[in-house]
């Protein structure tokens, strides 16, 4: 009898070989089923309630994947590719998960029949290279010098991104707003320079774009209502200073032996505060914004001198104001002078719904803007914000990578045809594997049909026929339950979305196929971990 050799800690779970690979593929399948129905203009939404009871309604693939608390190690790769697609391109998060899942599903029979994973991985990589080359060849380059055409194209890309969202009824209105907001930014197109503020109440059409900075009225002290609420041609002081009398530290001790000395201490405190306020006033600033609180004494002081102030301004809003209006954020009042103040043409405090907003317009360096969203329910507003984020990312990408392809399953059908034709030119196992990849690409148009309640088989047959005849831009027409030339119908998407989605999906597929063993260490302190034997407690008798 051979003695048993234990290499790993007790309670470690190991599983390996073909069953492990198949089990990983099955786990990924169930993830795909969770987001499958959210694809496309007729996609359904998911309602996810977290452990704190907060409900989120969304059909954005990345959001759903983040909120599903997935513990299966192989299935987590799908969450990662959805996140990477969201960070890199912003849209196409559902597509990327769907593609990865379908690649695995079509390749699963080959794994079960004993084809070596390395051969499958090689075929997947080959198919990816062919697809990317084909997309680059087919993609339509846009002329940037004709600004009207370029703008129209950006609006169409934004509208395509919003098509599958909750707010697709208002896509015309929002696609214009998104393009306006991105075109105000500078060449680097920083995303954090577009602020999105949500105000419940009103209709979606009441949403507006402020060319400059807008933020909610901050906590205000007495005297606030006496301040002017509107200025033209203003100077703005941006501070990181607390303008209020400080309470003494708990353990501070000042020994005084008569009242006049105590009075001197108090007077000195007040004097310090008044000196600070006087210096701010002398600098010529009419609007004072500070990251730290501005107390009631200071508020009243500013109100008496026709100045406006707001304390506890969130850091991101203060930074955006600085970028838009110029100036510098000061941490001391000693150096406040005209040259460190920001400037803007118009400032006002405006009532929007139930909230008061401070709005800065006509900023000299206005490389920032704020979208103020209106709408009924809070969840609805949050989903609108996520939808706009996707559209903004798409417009940014289209400005940087100036080539587009037709959406609505058109490009996937064309790639599928190309791979199928290519597979017939090779002998050996690769022929079957690349054929399987070609079939897997059809999942996008098929799912678009299923989600809209169409007969998918019928529509896919029509699409295959059209693509075989050389009509390369034919895709699903959701409105007429038929097929249409989606390039003519302006269903356009930046080609970078498709390239990124295919690359990420193929990478995830290769990664999952290359795993043949899972080793899970027991969690320390987990309820099912084996407990050490009970010892004698301190002070207990023998």
């Amino acid at each position: 009898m051979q003695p048993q050799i234990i290499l790993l800690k007790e309670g470690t779970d190991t599983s390996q070989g073909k069953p492990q690979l198949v089990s990983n593929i099955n786990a990924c399948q169930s993830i795909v089923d969770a987001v499958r129905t959210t694809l496309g203009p007729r996609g359904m939404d998911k309602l996810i309630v977290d452990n704190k009871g907060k409900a989120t309604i969304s059909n954005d693939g990345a959001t759903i994947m983040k909120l599903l608390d997935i513990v299966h190690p192989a299935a987590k790769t799908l969450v990662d590719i959805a996140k990477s697609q969201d960070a890199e391109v912003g849209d196409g998060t559902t597509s990327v998960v769907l593609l990865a899942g379908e690649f695995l599903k079509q390749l699963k029979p080959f794994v079960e029949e004993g084809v070596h994973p390395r051969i499958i991985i090689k075929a997947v990589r080959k198919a990816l290279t062919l697809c990317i080359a084909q997309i680059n060849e087919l993609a339509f380059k846009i002329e940037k010098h004709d600004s009207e055409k370029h703008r129209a194209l950006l609006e169409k890309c934004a509208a395509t991104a919003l098509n599958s969202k909750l707010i697709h009824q208002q896509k015309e209105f929002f696609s214009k707003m998104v393009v306006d907001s991105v075109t105000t930014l500078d060449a680097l197109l920083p995303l954090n320079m577009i602020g999105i503020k949500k105000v419940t109440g009103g209709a979606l059409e009441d949403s507006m774009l402020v060319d400059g900075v807008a933020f909610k009225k901050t906590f205000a002290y007495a005297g606030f209502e006496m301040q002017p609420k509107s200025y033209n041609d203003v100077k703005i002081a941006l501070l990181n200073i607390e303008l209020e009398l400080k309470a003494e530290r708990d353990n501070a001790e000042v020994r005084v032996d008569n009242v006049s000395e105590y009075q001197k201490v108090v007077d000195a405190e007040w004097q310090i505060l008044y000196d600070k306020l006087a210096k701010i006033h002398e600098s010529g600033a009419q609007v004072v914004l500070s990251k730290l609180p501005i107390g009631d004494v200071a508020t009243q002081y500013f109100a008496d001198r026709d100045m406006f102030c707001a304390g506890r301004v969130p850091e991101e809003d203060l930074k955006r104001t600085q970028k838009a209006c110029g100036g510098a954020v000061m941490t001391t009042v000693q150096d406040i002078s005209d040259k460190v103040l920001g400037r803007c043409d118009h400032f006002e405090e405006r009532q929007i719904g139930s909230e008061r907003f401070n709005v800065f317009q006509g900023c000299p360096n206005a490389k920032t803007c704020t979208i103020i969203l209106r709408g009924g329910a809070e969840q609805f507003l949050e989903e609108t914000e996520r939808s706009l984020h996707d559209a903004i990312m798409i417009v940014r990408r289209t400005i940087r990578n100036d080539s587009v392809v037709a959406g609505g399953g058109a490009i996937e059908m064309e790639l599928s045809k190309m791979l199928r034709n290519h597979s017939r030119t090779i002998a050996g196992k690769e022929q079957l594997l690349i054929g399987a990849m070609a079939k897997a690409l059809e999942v996008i148009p098929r799912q678009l049909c299923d989600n809209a309640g169409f007969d998918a088989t019928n529509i896919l047959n029509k699409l295959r026929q059209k693509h075989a005849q050389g009509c390369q831009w034919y895709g699903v027409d959701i409105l007429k339950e038929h097929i249409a030339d989606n390039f003519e119908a302006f269903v356009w998407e930046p080609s970078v979305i498709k390239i990124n989605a295919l690359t990420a999906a193929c990478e995830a597929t290769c990664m999952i196929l290359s795993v043949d063993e899972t080793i899970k260490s027991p969690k320390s302190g987990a309820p099912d971990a084996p407990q050490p034997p009970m010892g004698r407690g301190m002070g207990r008798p023998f």
Side-chain angles (χ1 to χ4, degrees):
M1 289 285 287
Q2 284 286 320
Q4 188 186 5
I5 298 169
I6 296 175
L7 283 175
L8 302 167
K9 209 161 67 178
E10 203 178 338
T12 305
D13 178 24
T14 65
S15 40
Q16 64 190 111
K18 201 195 299 178
Q20 175 58 36
L21 189 46
V22 173
S23 139
N24 285 348
I25 293 176
N26 291 342
C28 294
Q29 256 4 111
S30 51
I31 296 267
V32 174
D33 290 339
V35 291
R36 187 185 288 281
T37 52
T38 65
L39 185 76
R42 297 279 188 273
M44 308 298 273
D45 295 353
K46 303 286 178 202
L47 169 61
I48 300 165
V49 185
D50 64 9
N51 51 10
K52 296 192 186 84
K54 183 180 184 295
T56 308
I57 299 174
S58 178
N59 77 351
D60 175 44
T63 309
I64 296 168
M65 301 292 268
K66 276 180 208 158
L67 293 172
L68 291 175
D69 199 1
I70 291 163
V71 290
H72 192 285
K76 274 190 180 159
T77 53
L78 294 190
V79 182
D80 292 341
I81 59 170
K83 282 183 185 168
S84 83
Q85 178 80 1
D86 197 36
E88 181 63 25
V89 194
D91 198 20
T93 46
T94 310
S95 309
V96 72
V97 176
L98 215 58
L99 281 169
E102 193 64 19
F103 287 158
L104 289 167
K105 181 180 170 184
Q106 295 296 341
L107 296 168
K108 183 173 146 191
F110 297 100
V111 174
E112 286 168 337
E113 282 167 20
V115 179
H116 195 281
R118 281 287 149 208
I119 296 172
I120 302 178
I121 289 171
K122 190 178 163 202
V124 171
R125 295 237 161 92
K126 178 84 186 289
L128 173 65
T129 317
L130 290 167
C131 285
I132 291 176
Q134 180 79 349
I135 292 177
N136 288 332
E137 194 182 311
L138 289 174
F140 174 75
K141 279 269 187 224
I142 11 176
E143 304 297 327
K144 279 196 174 173
H145 49 74
D146 185 346
S147 59
E148 272 187 25
K149 264 189 183 170
H150 190 229
R151 188 189 161 84
L153 173 117
L154 292 176
E155 279 181 19
K156 285 176 189 122
C157 285
T160 306
L162 292 172
N163 245 338
S164 61
K165 305 293 179 198
L166 205 58
I167 51 172
H168 60 89
Q169 304 289 345
Q170 287 87 2
K171 67 178 179 191
E172 299 293 323
F173 173 74
F174 279 114
S175 53
K176 283 190 175 63
M177 187 186 277
V178 165
V179 175
D180 285 338
S181 66
V182 178
T183 44
T184 54
L185 302 179
D186 58 13
L188 288 170
L189 304 176
L191 197 60
N192 57 352
M193 287 292 113
I194 300 178
I196 299 182
K197 304 289 175 194
K198 304 184 286 280
V199 184
T200 44
L204 267 178
E205 285 82 5
D206 298 341
S207 303
M208 57 185 180
L209 180 71
V210 176
D211 192 7
V213 184
F215 52 84
K216 250 179 223 176
K217 174 187 150 193
T218 54
F219 181 82
Y221 285 94
F224 185 82
E225 293 307 327
M226 294 151 71
Q227 296 176 345
K229 299 289 184 254
S230 172
Y231 294 98
N232 287 323
D233 197 20
V234 286
K235 293 180 180 177
I236 307 159
L238 305 164
L239 309 174
N240 189 2
I241 309 172
E242 207 161 356
L243 296 175
E244 62 179 347
L245 291 171
K246 298 285 286 177
E248 277 77 23
R249 298 276 294 278
D250 294 345
N251 56 357
E253 192 175 306
V254 179
R255 297 203 174 187
V256 288
D257 48 15
N258 60 27
V259 177
S260 60
E261 293 212 352
Y262 175 67
Q263 190 61 43
K264 275 184 197 167
V265 174
V266 175
D267 289 348
E269 275 191 318
W270 282 84
Q271 199 52 50
I272 291 168
L273 180 61
Y274 277 128
D275 286 349
K276 280 184 186 174
L277 298 176
K279 284 209 167 72
I280 295 169
H281 177 56
E282 282 159 22
S283 70
Q286 291 143 304
V287 173
V288 181
L289 302 178
S290 177
K291 206 166 100 177
L292 297 173
I294 294 180
D296 38 12
V297 176
T299 308
Q300 193 65 55
Y301 181 94
F302 289 138
D304 294 344
R305 286 158 185 73
D306 282 346
M307 290 162 72
F308 176 91
C309 70
R312 298 185 185 168
V313 178
E315 188 172 5
E316 54 172 315
D317 290 329
L318 199 66
K319 278 189 175 161
R320 283 188 28 243
T321 311
Q322 182 194 353
K323 283 259 172 64
C325 307
V329 177
M330 303 300 289
T331 50
T332 166
V333 289
Q334 303 306 326
D335 305 327
I336 289 189
S337 62
D338 195 59
K339 61 177 183 288
V340 299
L341 298 180
R343 306 268 194 289
C344 82
D345 293 348
H346 185 65
F347 164 80
E348 69 169 319
E349 185 181 292
R350 205 187 289 175
Q351 185 82 19
I352 300 176
S354 58
E355 303 282 356
R356 302 272 283 280
F357 268 75
N358 299 335
V359 181
F360 298 84
Q361 284 173 306
C363 310
N365 314 4
K367 297 281 188 279
T368 176
C369 56
T370 310
I371 296 173
I372 298 175
L373 292 178
R374 305 297 314 278
E378 200 174 313
Q379 276 101 345
F380 188 78
L381 278 178
E382 282 177 11
E383 177 60 5
T384 307
E385 183 184 4
R386 281 191 287 272
S387 309
L388 287 187
H389 169 263
D390 282 11
I392 286 168
M393 291 288 280
I394 287 298
V395 174
R396 282 177 71 215
R397 282 285 157 210
T398 317
I399 291 174
R400 286 191 183 160
N401 309 67
D402 50 352
S403 65
V404 293
V405 292
I411 186 77
E412 283 84 5
M413 287 305 291
E414 186 60 24
L415 294 175
S416 174
K417 181 196 87 171
M418 181 270 301
L419 283 182
R420 199 174 281 114
N421 291 345
H422 178 82
S423 72
R424 291 184 186 131
T425 63
I426 0 175
K429 292 175 190 162
E430 266 194 12
Q431 181 185 28
L432 295 167
L433 294 166
I434 288 183
M437 295 286 287
K439 189 171 180 207
L441 281 167
E442 290 181 353
V443 69
I444 301 287
R446 181 184 297 278
Q447 199 58 49
L448 286 173
C449 296
D450 285 347
N451 289 353
F454 302 162
D455 180 351
T457 314
N458 184 16
I459 286 181
L460 279 179
N461 287 338
K462 289 180 187 169
L463 280 178
R464 286 193 199 105
Q465 178 212 9
K466 280 289 183 192
H467 282 265
Q469 291 168 355
C471 308
Q472 60 192 29
W473 294 130
Y474 262 75
V476 184
D477 183 348
I478 294 286
L479 302 173
K480 298 195 179 116
E481 194 172 335
H482 197 58
I483 59 173
D485 187 329
N486 279 352
F487 209 82
E488 296 292 314
F490 302 123
V491 182
W492 292 356
E493 299 190 74
S495 56
V496 68
I497 293 188
K498 295 298 171 195
I499 291 175
N500 208 64
L502 280 167
T503 312
C506 286
E507 276 178 9
T509 307
C510 293
M511 196 154 82
I512 289 164
L513 287 171
S514 64
V515 173
D516 75 335
E517 181 168 5
T518 308
I519 301 167
K520 230 179 182 177
S521 284
K523 277 188 187 166
S524 51
D528 51 353
Q531 296 294 323
M534 288 288 286
R536 188 176 66 79
M538 285 290 284
R540 284 196 24 215
F542 284 107

